[in-house]
Amino acid sequence: MKIKLILLLSLFSVGFSAFSQKKKSNTPPNIILVMVDDMGYSDIGAYGSEISTPNIDKLAFEGIRLKEFYNNSICAPTRASLITGQYPHKAGVGYFNVNLGLPAYQGFLNKESLTFGEVLKTAGYNTFLSGKWHVGNDSLYWPNQRGFDKFYGFIGGASNFYADAKDVPVELVENNKRITLKEGEYLTNTITDKALSFIEEQQKTQKPFFLYLAYNAPHWPLQALPEDIAKYRGKFALGWDSLRTIRHKKQIELGLVDPKHAIATRDEDVPKWDAFTYDEQQLWQRKMEVYAAMLDRVDQNVGRVLAKLKELKKDENTLIVFISDNGAQGGYVPLGRKRSRNSGPIGSSGSYEYQDQSWASLSNTPFRSYKNNFHEGGISSPFIAWFPKKIKAGSIARGTGHLIDLAPTFYDFAGAKYPENYNELKTNPLAGVSLKNVLLEGTELNRELPIFWERGGNRAVRKGKWKLVSIYPEKRWELYDLDTDRGETTDLSGKNPDVVKALIAEYETWAKKNNVENYDKIKPAVQIGNGTRF
């Protein structure tokens, strides 16, 4: 009798353990989306940089990277696509977060385009956002009104990083309440502080969570902590010419860049490093030292997030994705933004310096052009996904992804159904594809439909190996074979008129479907991104 009882207890224990393991494996994962602001394709170690980013590199080398992942080239339209899974015009942010008087250009997210917060809440998730919003200035359209349980950050496109009693206050919002950054705080750290508090507090709910961690670094103004800046003294003395070559070589070694592809042709507006005097080089170095320090601090904070997940035993059931909202910023009038009355040295509170196209050409290695442009340097982002024991460590996926793919990917992982109707409105169907199988199985991403872009008169189409691009105000279409020339050095439009004609036809069909207007008819009196910084 005793032996039978022991046997029964043993069988019960095995069955309960199997049930527990099955239940654990069926638990929807926590999801963290980390996005940095104005960071170039090559600015983290895992994509070729000399900047110290060990925590982000950990995600890359223990996870998966994409060689080709696209954004929308500028802050607000990128965030509109990211948060909703729509092309920006369909979401209402076809130009920027300003209202041009048309539904596709209203400057805030429409209600037919559901956010991460709205969809994932229906699947039982806690939803958090810490950092930058930039898709609706009016309080009617803030994060808490669009499905996020908790929000801390700033509403507009840029913010100071330091709180300085002598300077303009750093204006923030926390759960619909206007606040300011306290003196002595640094915004990158505080964004993380709030995110970690959200994760800790939700422990009580036993729900999975979604966290959108939207850092504003390394977007201007270039402001960093002194101890971080000190780490980079002299690190950029070689200048952008030599460092660009070094980064390109490392990218080839990492398997991210085909050695047969030519690096983008040198921008004629970027002076040769050797043309500067010693003192001029010292000033230029300071800009990149501060920029690197800002990214270094982001990386330190990513490390804090990883440590908190491990402490709470959530690390093995958390998917983390890391991207940038556009390429590094260049090509704009450097005095376009008014300095504060207390403007100090580069890196300090009150400094309104930005990276400038010279260093941006390094950040966007090996690609052409910058933010607000649809050549590869403006729209190419690193893409890293990390999910312990689920994603094969160190893999690099083939295929072309876009921001519109992230919403369906997250909903696929979460088991969330995107509704056809929401609050008595018919929703806009998702425009992208789920990357779940690409991430978990390493399969190649094969798209049936092209990817399209339009913003401020700039236009582009990507279909297979072909990329068609037109830059305003020239309006001439250029054609590139990205299988052999991702640096976009050789325009093939003259040799392939039938390809150009076919892609233009597909673009025009897409433009009509997404309510894209002729930019000459709608452009604002004061243009954003043409002659001014943003």
Side-chain angles (χ1 to χ4, degrees), residues 120-135:
L120 289 172
K121 281 183 77 168
T122 67
Y125 274 69
N126 289 133
T127 55
F128 311 128
L129 197 170
S130 189
K132 177 174 172 176
W133 178 236
H134 205 202
V135 283

Side-chain angles (χ1 to χ4, degrees), residues 300-471:
Q300 293 175 50
N301 278 280
V302 169
R304 293 175 62 202
V305 173
L306 291 173
K308 178 58 67 176
L309 291 174
K310 188 171 184 179
E311 175 193 326
L312 299 177
K313 295 181 172 56
K314 292 180 179 290
D315 52 325
E316 291 190 1
N317 195 38
T318 298
L319 167 68
I320 299 178
V321 169
F322 175 92
I323 60 172
S324 176
D325 69 338
N326 43 250
Q329 181 172 328
Y332 306 109
V333 177
L335 300 178
R337 177 155 293 273
K338 185 179 179 181
R339 294 166 179 265
S340 75
R341 62 183 181 279
N342 191 36
S343 180
I346 299 171
S348 65
S349 174
S351 167
Y352 273 92
E353 295 290 343
Y354 81 116
Q355 196 184 18
D356 197 276
Q357 57 260 33
S358 297
W359 285 120
S361 69
L362 169 65
S363 291
N364 294 337
T365 304
F367 304 134
R368 173 180 173 183
S369 201
Y370 319 99
K371 172 180 177 178
N372 195 41
N373 184 291
F374 292 147
H375 287 112
E376 293 291 282
I379 57 175
S380 296
S381 168
F383 177 97
I384 296 168
W386 178 86
F387 197 168
K389 301 181 181 177
K390 304 289 194 306
I391 290 176
K392 183 180 178 181
S395 49
I396 299 175
R398 292 177 57 85
T400 304
H402 186 274
L403 295 161
I404 55 174
D405 301 330
L406 285 181
T409 300
F410 293 155
Y411 303 156
D412 202 355
F413 273 101
K417 183 178 180 181
Y418 186 81
E420 293 183 5
N421 296 280
Y422 186 83
N423 288 344
E424 301 182 353
L425 288 173
K426 184 173 177 57
T427 61
N428 291 324
L430 293 171
V433 298
S434 173
L435 305 179
K436 184 178 179 180
N437 289 340
V438 176
L439 303 186
L440 296 183
E441 299 172 15
T443 56
E444 183 172 352
L445 173 57
N446 294 309
R447 310 188 75 93
E448 293 183 11
L449 298 175
I451 301 170
F452 302 93
W453 293 266
E454 191 282 334
R455 193 261 165 196
N458 296 324
R459 302 166 293 170
V461 183
R462 174 72 194 269
K463 184 177 184 180
K465 71 177 186 176
W466 295 114
K467 168 131 174 248
L468 190 70
V469 60
S470 172
I471 301 304

Side-chain angles (χ1 to χ4, degrees), residues 26-45:
N26 291 334
T27 302
N30 306 303
I31 301 169
I32 299 177
L33 170 61
V34 182
M35 185 161 73
V36 290
D37 202 338
D38 287 11
M39 186 194 81
Y41 183 81
S42 72
D43 275 331
I44 55 177

